[in-house]
């Protein structure tokens, strides 16, 4: 039994080191997601009667209120002319009054380890990220729920932890985690170190104690060797353990895609549909009210009307961590980098179809039941969420832009 466990640990360590090497070599190209059908909304609308809500999505719309807009659509020549160079020279995004935002830009590069000790700490953190021994029964690791090929999520509607217990929420992607001041969907962790502790001890995640987790680490010869190299002592403390894990997480970056080249000024790489999608993202679809900057998130909390207030699957988001009514129904905004690989979407993984999710955004997202005049706990939907009046062509174009992020 001990030999099998030792072999398992050694194999896990080799896997972790290989993953570390891969991640440190980023940016690398990520293949475009092939599971999201092109022109899905147009195809669907064509199967419906013209006077239905879906059928009407085939009708042209008057876009004269937007730059390059026409009475029956968009001026393609105008779009190509306006999207030259880098984002500062593009049409200004549609941003609500008073909303803080930052322009699209390159993702900050990972700084290489400064010395041998820093390199050893990164290697240790990488190994621990992949080590299922941190869980009570050795069944799950950090990497179980945060997989590189799925934008560091797991492809499940709700995360599954020790003993196959399912949590209430989906595993978030980690691309924005190195830059966020509050972690988890409800922001209950104020640092990556605090997040690591929370995941180790959560009943529905690793279901362990910090003392047992660090005892596992200190029982492994290779970890003790690393500890001596980094801290000059054989055994790690709990804080050193989570610091090492956080050191690895801080190196996680989204792979480079066509969108990065576009943001760098190579807009000619976009086909006409992707260019229209970029314009939708910045203007008519209002996406940059919440998804701006290098990671395409404001790292804030917003209510989209998806709290299921008063129903069986109610989840009041950040309010459950703060008990502040201003936080009712609010969830942390995820990065849209790698979004096409990150489904199913939203905090509860309720949406497995990206075009369908955008159609819901198009009509103003979810409706919250209850009268706030009578019930002060009715979550108020974000003022940034409004009906968009996109037609099928525009929704399909937006999907194509999202697929290359």
């Amino acid at each position: 039994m001990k030999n099998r466990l030792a072999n398992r640990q050694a194999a896990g360590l080799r896997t972790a080191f290989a993953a570390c090497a891969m991640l440190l070599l980023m940016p690398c190209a990520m293949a475009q997601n092939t599971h999201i059908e092109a022109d899905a909304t147009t195809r669907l609308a064509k199967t419906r009667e013209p006077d239905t809500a879906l059928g009407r999505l085939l009708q042209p719309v008057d876009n004269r209120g937007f730059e390059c807009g026409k009475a029956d659509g968009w001026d393609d020549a105008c779009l190509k002319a306006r999207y030259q160079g880098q984002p500062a020279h593009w049409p200004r995004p549609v941003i609500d009054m008073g909303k803080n935002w930052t322009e699209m830009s390159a993702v900050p590069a990972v700084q290489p380890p400064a010395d041998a000790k820093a390199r050893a700490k990164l290697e240790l953190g990488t190994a621990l990220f992949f080590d299922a021994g941190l869980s009570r029964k050795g069944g799950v690791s950090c990497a179980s729920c945060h997989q590189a090929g799925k934008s560091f999520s797991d492809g499940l509607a709700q995360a599954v932890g020790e003993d196959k217990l399912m949590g209430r929420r989906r595993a978030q992607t980690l691309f924005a985690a190195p830059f966020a001041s509050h972690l988890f969907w409800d922001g209950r962790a104020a640092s990556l170190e605090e997040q690591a502790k929370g995941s180790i001890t959560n009943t529905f995640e690793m279901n362990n104690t910090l003392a047992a987790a660090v005892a596992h680490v200190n029982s492994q010869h290779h970890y003790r060797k690393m500890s001596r190299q980094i801290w000059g002592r054989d055994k790690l403390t709990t804080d050193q353990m989570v610091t090492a894990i956080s050191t690895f997480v801080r190196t996680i970056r989204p792979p480079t895609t066509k969108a990065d080249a576009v943001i760098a000024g190579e807009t000619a790489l976009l086909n006409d549909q992707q260019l229209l999608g970029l314009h939708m993202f910045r203007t008519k679809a209002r996406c940059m009210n919440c998804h701006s900057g290098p990671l395409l998130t404001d790292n804030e909390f917003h209510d989209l009307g998806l709290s299921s207030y008063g129903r069986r699957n109610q989840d009041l988001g950040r309010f459950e961590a703060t008990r502040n009514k201003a936080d009712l129904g609010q969830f942390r905004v995820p990065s849209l980098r790698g979004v096409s690989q990150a489904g199913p979407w939203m905090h509860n993984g309720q949406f497995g179809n990206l075009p369908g999710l955008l159609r819901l955004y198009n009509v103003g997202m979810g409706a919250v039941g209850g009268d706030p005049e009578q019930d002060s706990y009715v979550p108020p939907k974000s003022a940034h969420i409004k009906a968009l009046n996109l037609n099928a062509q525009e929704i399909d174009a937006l999907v194509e832009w999202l697929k290359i992020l």
Side-chain angles (χ1 to χ4, degrees), residues 162-231:
E162 192 88 296
D163 290 326
K164 300 298 180 181
L165 293 186
M166 182 177 288
R168 299 170 64 203
R169 297 169 183 164
R170 171 185 154 237
Q172 274 199 318
T173 68
L174 294 182
F175 290 143
F179 309 96
S181 60
H182 291 82
L183 286 304
F184 292 117
W185 283 103
D186 56 16
R188 64 185 182 274
S191 68
L192 288 172
E193 289 78 7
E194 189 176 340
Q195 181 187 38
K197 290 180 180 179
S199 293
I200 291 170
T201 58
N202 189 299
T203 302
F204 294 94
E205 296 184 47
M206 294 184 179
N207 190 36
N208 209 352
T209 66
L210 293 174
V214 79
H216 158 76
V217 173
N218 287 328
S219 71
Q220 308 300 313
H221 171 73
H222 46 274
Y223 290 150
R224 293 198 303 271
K225 182 179 178 181
M226 289 180 175
S227 181
R228 283 195 300 272
Q229 184 177 357
I230 302 165
W231 292 290

Side-chain angles (χ1 to χ4, degrees), residues 305-317:
L306 300 177
S307 63
S308 298
Y309 180 65
R311 300 195 296 276
R312 180 179 178 183
N313 295 320
Q314 174 180 292
D315 187 340
L316 298 181

Side-chain angles (χ1 to χ4, degrees), residues 90 104 257-260 262-263 270-271 273-282 287 296 336 339-340 395-405:
W90 299 349
M104 293 178 178
T257 66
K258 183 192 288 189
D260 290 286
V262 171
I263 291 170
L270 296 175
N271 62 34
Q273 190 178 33
Q274 292 164 344
L275 177 59
L276 178 59
L278 168 59
H279 191 56
M280 293 299 95
F281 188 91
R282 293 178 65 84
C287 302
L296 299 177
L336 289 188
V339 64
S340 63
I395 293 171
D396 288 335
L398 183 55
V399 170
E400 293 306 305
W401 167 250
L402 296 179
K403 284 164 66 173
I404 66 170
L405 288 178

Side-chain angles (χ1 to χ4, degrees), residues 88-391:
H89 304 290
W90 299 349
R92 190 182 188 281
V94 172
I95 304 292
D96 290 335
M97 185 72 68
K99 178 69 176 80
N100 292 324
W101 69 284
T102 54
E103 186 54 271
M104 293 178 178
S105 60
V107 175
V110 177
Q111 297 302 311
D115 52 34
K117 286 186 178 182
R119 189 175 303 109
K121 185 188 292 185
L122 176 56
E123 290 178 352
L124 172 61
T126 307
L128 293 176
F129 188 86
F130 287 86
D131 188 349
L134 296 184
S135 64
R136 180 178 293 275
K137 296 182 180 179
V140 294
S141 68
C142 302
S144 298
C145 292
H146 300 289
Q147 303 168 24
K150 297 175 181 176
S151 295
F152 284 92
S153 185
D154 61 4
L156 302 176
Q158 281 89 36
V160 175
E162 192 88 296
D163 290 326
K164 300 298 180 181
L165 293 186
M166 182 177 288
R168 299 170 64 203
R169 297 169 183 164
R170 171 185 154 237
Q172 274 199 318
T173 68
L174 294 182
F175 290 143
F179 309 96
S181 60
H182 291 82
L183 286 304
F184 292 117
W185 283 103
D186 56 16
R188 64 185 182 274
S191 68
L192 288 172
E193 289 78 7
E194 189 176 340
Q195 181 187 38
K197 290 180 180 179
S199 293
I200 291 170
T201 58
N202 189 299
T203 302
F204 294 94
E205 296 184 47
M206 294 184 179
N207 190 36
N208 209 352
T209 66
L210 293 174
V214 79
H216 158 76
V217 173
N218 287 328
S219 71
Q220 308 300 313
H221 171 73
H222 46 274
Y223 290 150
R224 293 198 303 271
K225 182 179 178 181
M226 289 180 175
S227 181
R228 283 195 300 272
Q229 184 177 357
I230 302 165
W231 292 290
R233 58 195 302 270
D234 281 350
K235 292 187 176 181
L236 286 75
T237 65
T238 297
D239 285 343
Q240 288 168 341
M241 175 181 69
V242 297
T243 293
I245 295 171
S246 301
T247 297
F248 166 71
V249 174
R250 289 188 175 96
T251 69
I252 292 176
R253 297 292 187 276
T256 300
T257 66
K258 183 192 288 189
D260 290 286
V262 171
I263 291 170
E266 299 181 54
T267 54
L269 293 174
L270 296 175
N271 62 34
D272 290 348
Q273 190 178 33
Q274 292 164 344
L275 177 59
L276 178 59
L278 168 59
H279 191 56
M280 293 299 95
F281 188 91
R282 293 178 65 84
T283 58
K284 187 177 179 182
R286 300 171 44 81
C287 302
M288 289 187 66
N289 276 288
C290 298
H291 297 284
S292 67
L295 277 303
L296 299 177
T297 174
D298 60 5
N299 279 316
E300 295 179 5
F301 299 84
H302 301 287
D303 179 0
L304 306 185
L306 300 177
S307 63
S308 298
Y309 180 65
R311 300 195 296 276
R312 180 179 178 183
N313 295 320
Q314 174 180 292
D315 187 340
L316 298 181
R318 184 149 174 73
F319 171 79
E320 297 189 9
T322 66
R323 300 302 176 97
N324 182 343
K325 288 185 179 180
D327 297 327
L328 279 163
Q330 295 191 356
F331 295 89
R332 182 168 159 254
V333 175
S335 169
L336 289 188
R337 292 287 189 162
V339 64
S340 63
Q341 287 81 27
W345 296 273
M346 297 300 169
H347 69 276
N348 54 9
Q350 184 176 351
F351 301 97
N353 180 286
L354 187 58
L357 174 57
L358 293 187
R359 291 194 293 271
L360 185 59
Y361 268 110
N362 193 39
V363 297
M365 290 302 291
V368 180
D371 181 358
E373 295 294 327
Q374 303 295 323
D375 182 355
S376 63
Y377 286 90
V378 173
K381 189 159 60 175
S382 170
H384 302 306
I385 299 299
K386 301 176 181 179
L388 304 174
N389 194 33
L390 304 177
N391 67 8

